[in-house]
Amino acid sequence: FAQLLSHADRNQGLRLLKDEEVRQLWLYLYRRSFTDTHAGNAQPLSRAGKIEVASDGLGSSFSARFPFSFYLHSVIDGFRAAAAQSNSPADVLSEQVSRLRFSYNLDGKVEDSLLRRYAYDFACMRCRASPSLTRDDQAQLLWTLLRLTNGGSDPRRLTEIHALFWKCEPIVVAYI
C-alpha cells in the first residue's frame, strides 16, 4: 500500500485527484504509469518501514500541475536519441509516442490548459530552482522561449514541448 501511495503522491500529485479538470486523466495515468514503470517493485522499505515519496524538481521539490508528468516526461525523453537523428524531431517523437497508444489524446494535440500545466511541470523538472525567479516565472519564460523557437506559435503537443526545448536547451540551462 505504501508503494501505491508513494507513486500517487510523487511531486505532490495526489492532491490532483481532487481537481475535476484532471481527475479522469489522473486515474488513467496512475494505472498506466504504475504498470509501465513497475513502481510496485521499485522501492524496498527502509529500516524504519518508510518509503520515500520522490520529487523530480531540479534543485527543489514542486507541486505537479499535470498528473504523472514525471512519467510522461521520462517516456518522451526516452525517444530523444531517435529524434536527434531526424530532421524533424517533433514528428519523430509524435510518431514514437503514438505507438504507445495513450488515451486522452496524449500523443496528439492537447488542450491548452493541460499543455500549460505540463509545461509548468516540465520547467520544474528541467530548470534549476532559482532564488530570483518563481517556478511560475520560470514556466512562463520557458513557454515564451518555446514559442519563439517555434516561430511564434504555441506548442500544441507534449512532444513539441520536448523537441522545442531540446533546440534551445543550452540557453535554458544557462539562463532560466
Side-chain angles (χ1 to χ4, degrees), residues 2-3 6 43-53:
Q3 290 174 328
S6 172
Q43 296 182 52
L45 291 173
S46 69
R47 286 184 187 208
K50 297 178 183 178
I51 292 179
E52 181 180 335
V53 178

Side-chain angles (χ1 to χ4, degrees), residues 52-85:
E52 181 180 335
V53 178
S55 175
D56 298 285
L58 187 57
S60 72
S61 61
F62 72 101
S63 294
R65 295 185 181 173
F66 189 100
F68 301 94
S69 54
F70 68 89
Y71 162 69
L72 291 170
H73 178 272
S74 176
V75 167
I76 296 169
D77 257 20
F79 296 115
R80 186 174 185 166
Q85 298 173 6

Side-chain angles (χ1 to χ4, degrees), residues 71-140:
Y71 162 69
L72 291 170
H73 178 272
S74 176
V75 167
I76 296 169
D77 257 20
F79 296 115
R80 186 174 185 166
Q85 298 173 6
S86 168
N87 292 333
S88 184
D91 292 338
V92 169
L93 280 178
S94 183
E95 180 182 321
Q96 294 295 321
V97 172
S98 72
R99 291 179 181 170
L100 299 174
R101 301 185 194 275
F102 282 112
S103 296
Y104 294 91
N105 202 37
L106 294 174
D107 55 350
K109 291 184 180 175
V110 177
E111 293 177 32
D112 187 61
S113 64
L114 289 176
L115 204 61
R116 295 279 186 148
R117 285 173 176 248
Y118 184 79
Y120 172 86
D121 290 4
F122 187 94
C124 292
M125 290 184 273
R126 297 302 282 263
C127 301
R128 182 159 301 284
S130 167
S132 58
L133 292 172
T134 67
R135 288 299 200 177
D136 283 315
D137 292 337
Q138 286 179 313
Q140 185 57 47

Side-chain angles (χ1 to χ4, degrees), residues 18-61:
K18 296 186 303 185
D19 187 333
E20 287 292 328
E21 183 181 2
V22 295
R23 178 179 289 139
Q24 292 305 313
L25 179 60
W26 191 98
L27 291 168
Y28 166 72
L29 285 172
Y30 175 69
R31 287 187 298 272
R32 176 79 187 245
S33 64
F34 193 83
T35 302
D36 288 357
T37 63
H38 310 287
N41 301 326
Q43 296 182 52
L45 291 173
S46 69
R47 286 184 187 208
K50 297 178 183 178
I51 292 179
E52 181 180 335
V53 178
S55 175
D56 298 285
L58 187 57
S60 72
S61 61

